[in-house]
Amino acid sequence: MMVNQLPTLPTPFADAALSHAVPTENGNLVSLDSILKPGPIANALDGLLQRWGPGDRRAAASLWTQGYFGRLLRPVIAYGLVHDIWFSLELSDIYVGLSDLETPVRFVLKRAAPAPVSEHLGRIVEDNVKPLIVRMARVTATSERVHWSNASYTLCRACGHVRDLWQQETMPADVAVRLREMEMHMSAVHPLFRLTHMVPDAARGICLQRKVCCIRYKLDGLKKCGTACPINAPTFCRR
């Protein structure tokens, strides 16, 4: 495998650093397409239930997409906004390494051609988020909304973490331009981003909160997701 070295990502993205490579023969990688089928998904949900259950199988399906979007999209957004490096996220272009639970934890991606930030964001949604959610909802008999909520929260959280890397006056001008373009596009164009909103927290700051519950608390080994959880909050938790 030929690997093109990428810049190091700052905390809090370093835990989700990506390998960028042209997939060749490698027994540790499988195509993303090949695992988005009833058999592999069922095996992964069984693994998640063994680790975090017992509990509702739909919650395990939600946990699958939470992990997927968190590990894939957080560094994708960081590379794009901080370094102006973008990737093709078409399902057929992605190869993954699997965990012992048979969930995707490593990603091998192809670089995307230069384009405006809004176009990159559109491709992330249309080439990856949307088709993956459609497949997951169909295979697991879950609501698409819970998976859209997982994607929305991940993208909004990633942008917030990029914003917090610098004091406002010290943020590099090119990063500020890309971040501003992405956040304007997110707030104005696609309804998925309205599934997450900013609310005051107990410390008189601002935190992200979901509008649709991720139902992770329906697994006995997990709790509600802190301030992000809409249950018992002024917003209504729709499943």
Side-chain angles (χ1 to χ4, degrees):
M1 176 178 294
M2 295 177 57
V3 178
N4 296 325
Q5 193 67 36
L6 287 167
T8 300
L9 289 178
T11 304
F13 298 102
D15 66 312
L18 296 173
S19 297
H20 171 227
V22 178
T24 58
E25 293 183 11
N26 188 316
N28 294 324
L29 296 175
V30 296
S31 68
L32 180 59
D33 267 330
S34 72
I35 67 168
L36 295 177
K37 296 177 180 178
I41 292 297
N43 291 339
L45 299 191
D46 288 343
L48 289 168
L49 284 166
Q50 289 173 9
R51 176 71 59 85
W52 301 111
D56 192 324
R57 197 168 183 83
R58 296 172 302 166
S62 175
L63 193 62
W64 192 105
T65 56
Q66 282 189 69
Y68 171 85
F69 290 133
R71 293 187 182 97
L72 175 68
L73 296 185
R74 284 175 55 235
V76 161
I77 296 301
Y79 278 121
L81 295 179
V82 177
H83 297 294
D84 201 22
I85 295 173
W86 301 90
F87 301 92
S88 169
L89 292 189
E90 291 187 25
L91 301 185
S92 59
D93 281 344
I94 300 177
Y95 280 71
V96 299
L98 301 179
S99 71
D100 59 345
L101 305 181
E102 299 192 46
T103 56
V105 291
R106 292 188 299 112
F107 300 89
V108 177
L109 308 177
K110 298 178 181 178
R111 292 205 192 199
V117 170
S118 58
E119 186 173 330
H120 285 302
L121 180 60
R123 288 174 178 170
I124 288 170
V125 173
E126 294 300 320
D127 292 348
N128 190 281
V129 174
K130 183 177 180 179
L132 184 130
I133 286 174
V134 168
R135 288 202 201 182
M136 283 295 296
R138 182 175 65 244
V139 169
T140 62
T142 48
S143 166
E144 289 188 8
R145 283 179 62 81
V146 70
H147 304 298
W148 280 111
S149 176
N150 289 338
S152 174
Y153 184 77
T154 296
L155 287 164
C156 292
R157 182 168 172 251
C159 287
H161 283 162
V162 170
R163 190 186 313 109
D164 292 342
L165 291 174
W166 296 274
Q167 297 294 328
Q168 185 173 358
E169 63 275 8
T170 62
M171 180 179 288
D174 58 334
V175 176
V177 168
R178 288 191 290 270
L179 179 61
R180 184 164 56 249
E181 182 179 351
M182 176 164 282
E183 291 188 324
M184 288 177 61
H185 194 69
M186 286 168 64
S187 64
V189 176
H190 203 286
L192 97 88
F193 302 110
R194 292 195 286 275
L195 293 174
T196 304
H197 61 161
M198 304 290 287
V199 297
D201 63 18
R204 297 186 178 181
I206 296 293
C207 63
L208 288 175
Q209 187 180 91
R210 295 169 177 265
K211 294 185 179 180
V212 178
C213 179
C214 71
I215 64 173
R216 56 176 270 164
Y217 72 95
K218 290 182 176 288
L219 296 172
D220 285 0
L222 295 174
K223 299 177 181 179
K224 294 178 183 177
C225 49
T227 56
C229 184
I231 297 177
N232 299 326
T235 52
F236 178 64
C237 177
R238 293 185 292 271
R239 298 187 179 91

